[in-house]
Amino acid sequence: MEVLYVIAGILVLCVIAIKLFFIREGNAKVEVRVDQRTPFKMEELTKDSVTFSTKIEFANAGTQCATIMDCFVRAQLPYEQFDGVKVEGKAEWDQAPREDDYFESVLIQKKKSIYVLAKVKLTARKNGDIKETLTHMVDLPMDIIYLELGRRPWKLLKEHILLPNEEIAKIVGIELAED
Amino acid sequence: MPDVEMVSVPTRILTTKDDIVDIVEKYTKGKIGENDVISVAESVVAITQGRIVRPEELKLTRVALFCCRFIPDQGSLASPHGMQSLMNVEGKWRVAFALFAGFLGKLVGQNGIFYKWGGEQTALIDDVTGTMPPFDKHIVYGPKNPQDVVKRLKERLGCFGAVIADVNDLKRSRIVGVTDGVDGSKVAHLLIDNPFGNASQKTPIVIIKNFKQYQR
């Protein structure tokens, strides 16, 4: 009987030791700091389109390496609300900008950060004049959607940001119409 | 005696639709001679063999979730997806046992038991980010039947020999498959500066010119 107690004791000690090991090692903890994003700025302005961007920190506050396998910007502006512009969003790692809208998987080392540029392009759909169109613009909500891997199973997560119409008007240098 | 020379051969991105021997023949036409050795990047051979899997396609087991926690942070098996992909080909209990044996081995100063007993894929799997786009979102296994591939390459190209090499920018150079008569360690030494390039460079083939004379 005593032997069984000894074996059970060893097993319990092993379980405790492993638990403590896991606690000590910790895990990745990605924080997408949308509340600390930079103000939107104008990347490009043409007669019929304008592109805005903001830089968002992806910080790994954890103690293990994390991987961002994909990231994209999903604009949430239905035509029921405003049909004057076509909206295209994209996300790119600021250290490796790409023109193909492909997000290359990137590692975030423990206690380090990467920065993702969230870009949104608005193209006038009706009159070919983006400045005129934007005088009627509404707030533009966007989701930052990303696929994260680490020591845990992969997860598809999202954060929400808003580009208010007042901010758009200020950046472009127009006045909003009284709709 | 002519000098040994490394000639990197760019290609388009190779996919699971390609046959590696056909591709190497096409891109090296007129560039390779009877004294040369053809070397092909290990991950690209594996990709053409369809030996890739996306993490989202894997069904993770508790054993994989548990075992991956004991692999150092930077390793390809440190994620449950990398570990599961290994267990799918080598068997989960074999891998788990090798990991445990590796742990016991380390306690008595014996390193490398996990990689020795866990199966040949243990050291060959590349986790996501380990390969150039569009395969950066895949786990890439090591190639299947590498000895057969190099034999077919040598026969088709009529060169001195062929190797499949696993090389990276961290000065790691390992020969995964090599034809008879070629000194793999000498090839590995020549490839140590990674003439394949890393990440997005599309040069999975390197011709080692005049290797036959160099080896003598």
Side-chain angles (χ1 to χ4, degrees), chain B residues 35-180:
Chain B
N35 297 323
D36 305 341
V37 162
I38 191 83
S39 56
V40 189
E42 165 252 351
S43 59
V44 175
V45 176
I47 287 166
T48 59
Q49 293 174 330
R51 294 177 62 75
I52 54 175
V53 63
R54 287 187 69 110
E56 304 97 307
E57 295 166 356
L58 291 166
K59 191 178 175 198
L60 299 180
T61 58
R62 285 169 189 249
V63 184
L65 284 161
F66 179 77
C67 288
C68 76
R69 300 298 304 268
F70 297 98
I71 303 290
D73 196 22
Q74 302 291 333
S76 280
L77 305 175
S79 77
H81 311 88
M83 181 60 78
Q84 186 64 56
S85 64
L86 173 66
M87 290 178 166
N88 285 355
V89 290
E90 303 289 2
K92 69 177 176 182
W93 295 117
R94 176 187 181 174
V95 173
F97 173 75
L99 191 64
F100 182 62
F103 168 72
L104 294 180
K106 279 196 172 173
L107 291 180
V108 295
Q110 188 86 358
N111 289 327
I113 290 178
F114 172 56
Y115 290 94
K116 203 169 164 184
W117 291 2
E120 65 170 4
Q121 292 296 320
T122 309
L124 294 175
I125 285 176
D126 284 325
D127 202 359
V128 291
T129 76
T131 316
M132 72 176 88
F135 302 106
D136 60 312
K137 301 183 194 311
H138 293 74
I139 295 159
V140 179
Y141 290 98
K144 193 176 183 183
N145 302 328
Q147 285 306 120
D148 179 56
V149 175
V150 291
K151 190 171 164 232
R152 285 169 52 220
L153 280 168
K154 181 183 174 180
E155 285 169 3
R156 180 81 70 87
L157 303 172
C159 53
F160 178 64
V163 300
I164 296 172
D166 181 13
V167 184
N168 66 21
D169 279 353
L170 304 174
K171 301 281 182 192
R172 186 183 74 171
S173 177
R174 185 173 38 171
I175 301 303
V176 179
V178 57
T179 49
D180 293 340

Side-chain angles (χ1 to χ4, degrees), chain A residues 134-138 165-166 168-169 174-179:
Chain A
L134 290 179
T135 61
H136 303 281
M137 183 65 181
V138 296
N165 59 352
E166 294 89 354
I168 292 174
I174 56 171
E175 283 198 15
L176 294 172
E178 301 245 347
D179 289 328

